[in-house]
Amino acid sequence: MDEDKTPSESKLTQTKQRWAREGRFLTGRHARPETERLPPGQHLTQDWPVLDLGVTPNVNRERWRLDVYGAVETPLFWDFAQFSAQPQSTFISDIHCVTTWSRYDNQWEGLSTRALLDACRPKPDARFVSLESYDGYTTNLSLEDFSSDDALLAHTWQGTPIDRDHGGPVRVIVPHLYFWKSAKWLQRIEFREHDKPGYWEVRGYHNRGDPWEEQRYSDD
């Protein structure tokens, strides 16, 4: 991402950077067995809190575009109609936010990341994925995490289009990692040979973000 597109730091951004420096929300407990549904240090909520960098892009379905490029055999440049014409999937999964809340049983509809991989065909040297959003936000994933069996590019939540506050028209959902890895307002996906830490990762957050290992910050 170009330096001049880096989002300006909001009050929330500054607060979350302070949490990373102070190690806020760490419980000091060992990760629970995988058979337990709620990761350590999390509490359940029925709400879906809104967290972002303080900018809510005004991108509707008519204006939305997705670019998929980098280490792929077939770069993709889709509008929403082309995106919607791809095979669609429905998954039910939980949300785990690094700020300690979790929400169970969210129903998503969209394009699975595995279907996207079939369409763009990553090259053999592709090992990582960089996501960029319409607000300038970025985050990074290993190709293995990005292609997990319940990850998708979602346009619908609980049977209705995802609203702007929660990342519509299209956002990434990677349920097995903390939710900052599930980029809102998705605009670009770059397949890469080498890793490129994103917005929060260079500001003290863990490079992977596994909730069951409580990988909240870079030294966890």
Side-chain angles (χ1 to χ4, degrees):
M1 185 175 106
D2 296 337
E3 286 298 324
D4 60 359
K5 290 187 64 180
T6 301
S8 58
E9 293 191 353
S10 65
K11 183 177 180 180
L12 174 62
T13 301
Q14 295 168 356
T15 299
K16 291 174 79 173
Q17 287 187 70
R18 187 177 74 251
W19 292 344
R21 291 194 300 269
E22 296 172 355
R24 287 281 298 276
F25 304 131
L26 288 176
T27 65
R29 298 169 57 187
H30 295 293
R32 299 181 184 183
E34 291 184 0
T35 53
E36 295 191 27
R37 190 173 181 182
L38 188 67
Q42 298 293 110
H43 68 275
L44 286 178
T45 181
Q46 298 299 313
D47 299 323
W48 186 1
V50 175
L51 296 172
D52 52 46
L53 301 181
V55 177
T56 305
N58 186 13
V59 181
N60 58 28
R61 290 187 172 189
E62 288 70 33
R63 295 180 54 228
W64 180 82
R65 300 290 185 274
L66 176 65
D67 297 343
V68 181
Y69 60 99
V72 295
E73 299 290 348
T74 308
L76 305 173
F77 304 97
W78 285 338
D79 59 20
F80 192 82
Q82 292 168 312
F83 170 77
S84 302
Q86 309 305 312
Q88 302 292 293
S89 299
T90 300
F91 296 121
I92 296 176
S93 61
D94 301 337
I95 296 171
H96 305 297
C97 181
V98 72
T99 58
T100 78
W101 59 266
S102 294
R103 190 184 191 284
Y104 286 167
D105 297 326
N106 301 273
Q107 180 176 293
W108 311 101
E109 182 180 350
L111 177 67
S112 73
T113 57
R114 291 188 176 182
L116 179 74
L117 297 181
D118 288 341
C120 70
R121 299 186 297 148
K123 293 181 179 180
D125 59 356
R127 294 290 183 271
F128 300 94
V129 174
S130 179
L131 308 176
E132 183 175 346
S133 304
Y134 271 90
D135 65 343
Y137 178 78
T138 59
T139 193
N140 58 312
L141 295 160
S142 69
L143 185 57
E144 180 179 6
D145 283 325
F146 181 74
S147 61
S148 61
D149 57 7
D150 55 357
L152 78 163
L153 314 185
H155 55 70
T156 298
W157 175 75
Q158 309 294 64
T160 61
I162 298 174
D163 61 29
R164 282 180 58 199
D165 285 345
H166 288 113
V170 177
R171 68 169 299 154
V172 178
I173 301 297
V174 184
H176 68 283
L177 299 180
Y178 281 124
F179 214 45
W180 89 78
K181 293 290 189 177
S182 296
K184 300 165 73 170
W185 309 299
L186 182 65
Q187 183 179 25
R188 298 187 182 95
I189 302 174
E190 180 183 8
F191 287 79
R192 300 175 54 87
E193 180 179 355
H194 303 290
D195 196 13
K196 182 182 180 181
Y199 184 88
W200 283 120
E201 292 78 15
V202 301
R203 288 167 169 81
Y205 276 45
H206 198 277
N207 199 52
R208 180 162 187 251
D210 183 336
W212 287 270
E213 296 292 334
E214 212 169 355
Q215 294 175 339
R216 300 179 190 273
Y217 306 122
S218 57
D219 56 352
D220 294 343

